[in-house]
Amino acid sequence: MCLAVPGRVVEIAGSDELRTARVEFGGVVRPACLAYVPEAQVGDYVLVHVGFAISRIDEDTARETYAILAEIGALELPEEESDAPH
Amino acid sequence: MRHIDEYRDPSAVAAAGRQIRETVTRPWTLMEVCGGQTHSILKFGLEQLLPEQVELVHGPGCPVCVTPLELIDRAVAIAGRPDVVFCSFGDMLRVPGSREDLLSVKARGGDVRIVYSPLDALKIARQHPDRRVVFFAVGFETTAPANAMAVLRAATLGLDNFAVIVAHVLVPPALEVLLSCPDARIQGLLAPGHVCAVTGYRDYEPLAARHSIPIAVTGFEPLDLLRGVHAVVRQLEAGTCRVENAYPRVVQAEGNPAARRVVDDVFVVSDRKWRGLGEIPESGLTLAPKYARFDAEKVFDVKGLDVREPAECRSGLVLQGRLKPPECPEFGHRCTPEHPLGATMVSSEGACAAYFHYRRPVPEPAAPAAR
């Protein structure tokens, strides 16, 4: 029930409580209500739960997490990918 | 998929496991609260990566599993009405009621539909003004904003043929009950990351202080879960008991203010019965008086329910973290996902279903759970 999946906002329409996006999840595009992430823009990753984005994923924090993991030797990513994990 | 695949990287996961093993010096018992976390732990075999001293017990974080039987029976009664289109998330359909489940109602001709979002139910209500559309609003704090928005939009649109059965529960009051048990053996908590994405984690700070227990807000991917375990174990070893955010790319301390505003407008906090845990004060949500006309329990006054809990199902103990599914004599024998005795074997977040799917062959009931 609390399953929420990160996806990339590819298109936004409407405003306020009717603000809706098309969100791409690994090639599959589904609609999601953006009423709860008014700051989300096209290109952002949002966490979608039962058709609602409940959080915008903080890319800076995600990168910091990765830097920490790399530091403890948990990750062995090639140099050029260390900034932008896929 | 970005923000998923990198948190499943096998070498990273193995290194995170090593990091925990290097930190632990004594035995510790941790509870992961959310059923989604339980499934990830079993699916990815994370327990095998942990040192023997770290035991994970599984919490009550499965909304389907804790929905009281009388509410399921009420839903079955409402779904069976010829004027009703009954909409629900798929998990709820196969949860056994006292006599039958929602899928049986559908099989005998009832208009029972699985929806992906409460907004789908709202759409059906708009398309069928001549029918009464009822949505089974089950969930924790994560789902409350979506269900609240459905009610808010129904009010805005004047959709009087839409109603909801509200089965919303709140995590912190249930944790208070579990941690207050005199024989509670939980020493650290992995708080549910997606609940906290909505609510933030301030409500967990009094729990940590009152019960002297470290809490890590934790995500759902293998690396997220191990990060949460490491955060809690590190605190246990150091003797501290703070709330730590081990899922910062998603969770902010204050949660999601826009979502909380709508939830606070549509719902009020109320006492609620949890299946397996009993009545817990201020542990649920009910529609605020100004939205009471959307309350399906009031719209359809179902009478004469004969609620009968199956005596052989021990899911109450499983939900309290007191029994691991393979320790139940019925597990994998009389109780399977095809023929479940209780909700924990049905739901995609139920602990029994997780063990059944990821931990077979089934050990003998008397044998200890495989680690």
Side-chain angles (χ1 to χ4, degrees):
Chain A
M1 287 287 311
C2 290
L3 177 72
V5 184
R8 189 173 59 92
V9 175
V10 292
E11 194 183 312
I12 298 175
S15 60
D16 299 328
E17 72 180 56
L18 297 176
R19 193 163 181 255
T20 303
R22 283 160 52 79
V23 180
E24 191 225 330
F25 306 92
V28 178
V29 177
R30 296 213 54 153
C33 177
L34 290 191
Y36 297 135
V37 285
E39 73 281 17
Q41 301 298 328
V42 169
D44 286 348
Y45 276 77
V46 291
L47 197 67
V48 177
H49 171 69
V50 300
F52 285 77
I54 54 168
S55 176
R56 186 179 72 88
I57 293 174
D58 186 329
E59 294 285 351
D60 292 340
T61 309
R63 267 193 291 274
E64 278 167 30
T65 303
Y66 251 68
I68 294 166
L69 290 168
E71 214 166 274
I72 62 163
L75 288 172
E76 291 161 18
L77 290 178
E79 278 296 308
E80 65 271 21
E81 288 186 19
S82 60
D83 268 358
H86 290 278
Chain B
M1 281 165 66
R2 186 146 177 230
H3 295 298
I4 291 183
D5 294 343
E6 59 268 44
Y7 297 92
R8 295 182 180 180
D9 180 280
S11 63
V13 170
R18 273 198 305 277
Q19 195 188 25
I20 295 167
R21 287 198 297 277
E22 286 163 8
T23 308
V24 168
T25 65
R26 285 161 282 172
W28 300 113
T29 303
L30 277 55
M31 173 180 270
E32 87 278 0
V33 174
C34 179
Q37 293 171 327
T38 304
H39 271 252
S40 280
I41 287 162
L42 287 152
K43 179 179 174 183
F44 293 104
L46 299 185
E47 281 180 309
Q48 281 85 339
L49 286 177
L50 296 176
E52 271 186 14
Q53 296 103 311
V54 175
E55 184 190 359
L56 294 177
V57 297
H58 316 309
C62 166
V64 169
C65 305
V66 300
T67 299
L69 186 55
E70 51 263 45
L71 211 51
I72 293 163
D73 287 348
R74 201 172 295 274
V76 164
I78 292 171
R81 292 175 55 108
D83 56 338
V84 164
V85 180
F86 195 90
C87 301
S88 170
F89 298 128
D91 267 18
M92 214 61 214
L93 261 59
R94 293 190 56 247
V95 176
S98 296
R99 284 191 161 64
E100 60 179 347
D101 58 21
L102 286 163
L103 202 61
S104 308
V105 177
K106 185 178 174 64
R108 58 181 168 77
D111 195 344
V112 178
R113 305 185 192 185
I114 294 174
V115 292
Y116 160 71
S117 166
L119 296 183
D120 296 339
L122 206 64
K123 196 171 165 189
I124 293 167
R126 293 180 78 176
Q127 289 167 341
H128 300 281
D130 54 322
R131 309 287 303 280
R132 303 171 94 172
V133 176
V134 178
F135 177 67
F136 205 166
V138 176
F140 283 146
E141 293 94 322
T142 318
T143 318
N147 292 339
M149 184 62 83
V151 172
L152 192 67
R153 282 198 194 168
T156 306
L157 295 166
L159 280 179
D160 292 332
N161 65 327
F162 179 76
V164 289
I165 300 177
V166 180
H168 263 292
V169 283
L170 304 172
V171 171
L175 293 178
E176 178 65 41
V177 168
L178 291 179
L179 294 172
S180 300
C181 285
D183 57 345
R185 58 192 194 97
I186 306 156
Q187 294 164 297
L189 276 177
L190 306 184
H194 293 160
V195 164
C196 294
V198 171
T199 63
Y201 49 83
R202 299 287 184 222
D203 290 348
Y204 293 80
E205 287 167 352
L207 279 174
R210 208 162 31 240
H211 298 282
S212 303
I213 189 168
I215 299 177
V217 177
T218 302
F220 293 75
E221 295 303 327
L223 270 178
D224 292 320
L225 283 155
L226 293 176
R227 187 177 176 187
V229 170
H230 184 243
V232 168
V233 165
R234 199 173 46 197
Q235 283 205 53
L236 286 166
E237 292 283 344
T240 59
C241 46
R242 292 180 292 109
V243 176
E244 212 171 312
N245 185 2
Y247 196 29
R249 71 181 181 282
V250 164
V251 177
Q252 309 298 319
E254 307 304 330
N256 183 323
R260 291 175 68 180
R261 266 195 301 277
V262 175
V263 169
D264 289 346
D265 176 55
V266 172
F267 294 118
V268 289
V269 173
S270 60
D271 298 346
R272 193 156 280 272
K273 185 179 174 189
W274 293 51
R275 198 171 186 182
L277 275 74
E279 180 93 11
I280 303 177
E282 301 192 341
S283 70
L285 297 175
T286 303
L287 286 170
K290 62 179 168 176
Y291 297 106
R293 66 185 185 282
F294 296 105
D295 186 344
E297 289 185 74
K298 291 196 173 80
V299 173
F300 305 96
D301 188 17
V302 178
K303 287 195 171 68
L305 289 175
D306 181 15
V307 180
R308 292 180 193 182
E309 283 281 358
E312 62 273 53
C313 181
R314 301 187 181 189
S315 59
L317 294 173
V318 172
L319 289 164
Q320 294 168 43
R322 289 164 182 270
L323 183 81
K324 292 226 170 165
E327 294 163 1
C328 173
E330 309 296 349
F331 175 81
H333 301 288
R334 281 192 59 216
C335 184
T336 64
E338 287 74 34
H339 300 286
L341 289 176
T344 48
M345 185 55 101
V346 180
S347 170
S348 60
E349 289 187 317
C352 298
Y355 274 82
F356 190 90
H357 289 303
Y358 306 120
R359 275 293 181 86
R360 285 192 293 169
V362 181
E364 286 302 313
R371 287 190 61 90

